[in-house]
Amino acid sequence: MQGKSICVNLSRKDILHDVNFKAESGQVTAIIGPNGSGKSTLLKTLAGEIGTSGTVTLNGHDISALKPWQLAAMRGVLPQSTSVAFPFKVYEIVRLGLANGLAAIDDELTAKALAHVDLAGFEDRSYQTLSGGEQQRVQLARVLTQVWGTQHTDQPRWLLLDEPVASLDIAHQFAVLHIAGDFAAAGGGVVVVMHDLNLTALFADCVYVLSQGYVWGSGTPSEVLNIDLMQQVYGIDLPISKVPKSSIPFVLPQVMRKRLGA
Ligand SMILES: Nc1ncnc2c1ncn2[C@@H]1O[C@H](COP(=O)(O)OP(=O)(O)OP(=O)(O)O)[C@@H](O)[C@H]1O
Ligand SMILES: [Mg+2]
């Protein structure tokens, strides 16, 4: 997946400025950056939901030339937040991702997706009675049924996830990021918006750092998670070390708090 010279203007405001972005299939590519830096806007543009003066190509196709069903067959999108106004059952939400309409296949995929997000047996629960984290995992199950349920092609499918672990406990954060990692390991592509720098360091192969609608850096977690760049984009000093016997960076905010108070 590639975005070239992506400029986005919304409500007469420039949100993204000449962003160049590349994500490889087989990898997890993370987008990080402060609130309002343009991460969700970039993800929506890559998903084909927002128009741009630049170009976005998905599996070599210019997405502006693809029909909605062609796009839906290539990529699934988990938005940052989803409001459901009607009293849908969980299985009805998950099945929104499916185009099959064959009850047996749909039931099997729905159950598999719910089991993947640790919600086996939740099919008949009312979506609105679920906790925030459970709702987020149901939405991920919907996206999984979409990418699993599309006809097999030799082209990679893509998961575009906007803060998929934002309201999850630590065990489910790991579980969901493992789903993303396994999807990439099986040849798919994953683009994921993240705030947690440590989880980003653990799970991402490549990281884009956005600030004020510009890309301020990209590369491996070790390359971009450095004190200077983090200071530039977040405006705070973050002590960054390496996990022992590895090159994986980790950030210790509590050390920073002590320093501030010292
Ligand atoms: N439709 C719109 N009209 C005007 N401004 C918008 C619109 N959508 C987004 N913006 C602005 O564009 C900027 C980027 O928004 P975006 O949602 O991409 O940020 P983000 O990096 O995802 O932030 P967060 O971490 O809070 O989710 C923000 O300043 C936001 O207020
Ligand atoms: Mg966002």
Side-chain angles (χ1 to χ4, degrees), residues 66-120:
L66 295 176
K67 298 190 169 53
W69 65 267
Q70 291 174 310
L71 260 182
M74 274 191 238
R75 55 91 182 115
V77 186
L78 179 74
Q80 184 168 355
S81 62
T82 312
S83 59
V84 174
F86 296 99
F88 281 115
K89 300 270 192 205
V90 163
Y91 77 88
E92 291 173 310
I93 299 280
V94 177
R95 281 179 177 209
L96 291 176
L98 288 168
N100 271 315
L102 300 172
I105 298 172
D106 287 1
D107 283 348
E108 196 182 312
L109 273 177
T110 303
K112 184 177 157 192
L114 283 171
H116 250 68
V117 299
D118 195 24
L119 289 175

Side-chain angles (χ1 to χ4, degrees), residues 41 56 62 73 87 96 134 146 150 185 243 249-250:
T41 306
V56 176
D62 183 339
L96 291 176
E134 288 166 349
Q146 184 186 331
T150 45
V243 173
F250 72 85

Side-chain angles (χ1 to χ4, degrees), residues 1-8 16-25 29 31 41-48 50-64 158 160 191 206 208 210 213-215 218:
M1 161 179 289
Q2 194 162 14
K4 279 193 187 156
S5 302
I6 295 178
C7 298
V8 171
L16 294 178
H17 310 266
D18 199 24
V19 166
N20 290 300
F21 178 91
K22 193 169 185 185
E24 305 285 354
S25 57
T29 302
I31 303 170
T41 306
L42 176 57
L43 199 81
K44 287 179 201 165
T45 310
L46 295 170
I50 292 181
T52 169
S53 56
T55 54
V56 176
T57 48
L58 186 58
N59 295 340
H61 305 279
D62 183 339
I63 61 166
S64 64
W158 292 80
L160 305 183
V191 180
C206 177
Y208 276 76
L210 281 194
Y214 293 90
V215 173
S218 64

Side-chain angles (χ1 to χ4, degrees), residues 39-40 80 162-163 193:
K39 303 178 301 296
S40 295
Q80 184 168 355
D162 196 345
E163 298 196 33
V193 174

Side-chain angles (χ1 to χ4, degrees), residues 71-182:
L71 260 182
M74 274 191 238
R75 55 91 182 115
V77 186
L78 179 74
Q80 184 168 355
S81 62
T82 312
S83 59
V84 174
F86 296 99
F88 281 115
K89 300 270 192 205
V90 163
Y91 77 88
E92 291 173 310
I93 299 280
V94 177
R95 281 179 177 209
L96 291 176
L98 288 168
N100 271 315
L102 300 172
I105 298 172
D106 287 1
D107 283 348
E108 196 182 312
L109 273 177
T110 303
K112 184 177 157 192
L114 283 171
H116 250 68
V117 299
D118 195 24
L119 289 175
F122 275 62
E123 283 88 342
D124 289 319
R125 284 281 304 272
S126 166
Y127 180 82
Q128 281 155 332
T129 67
L130 301 182
S131 74
E134 288 166 349
Q135 289 185 348
Q136 200 174 18
R137 278 149 52 210
V138 168
Q139 293 298 337
L140 178 61
R142 174 184 59 74
V143 178
L144 290 175
T145 61
Q146 184 186 331
V147 291
W148 289 341
T150 45
Q151 300 267 311
H152 175 77
T153 67
D154 52 3
Q155 296 190 320
R157 270 162 286 183
W158 292 80
L159 285 177
L160 305 183
L161 311 174
D162 196 345
E163 298 196 33
V165 299
S167 50
L168 304 189
D169 65 72
I170 191 161
H172 285 113
Q173 288 183 333
F174 271 80
V176 164
L177 290 170
H178 274 298
I179 290 172
D182 291 346

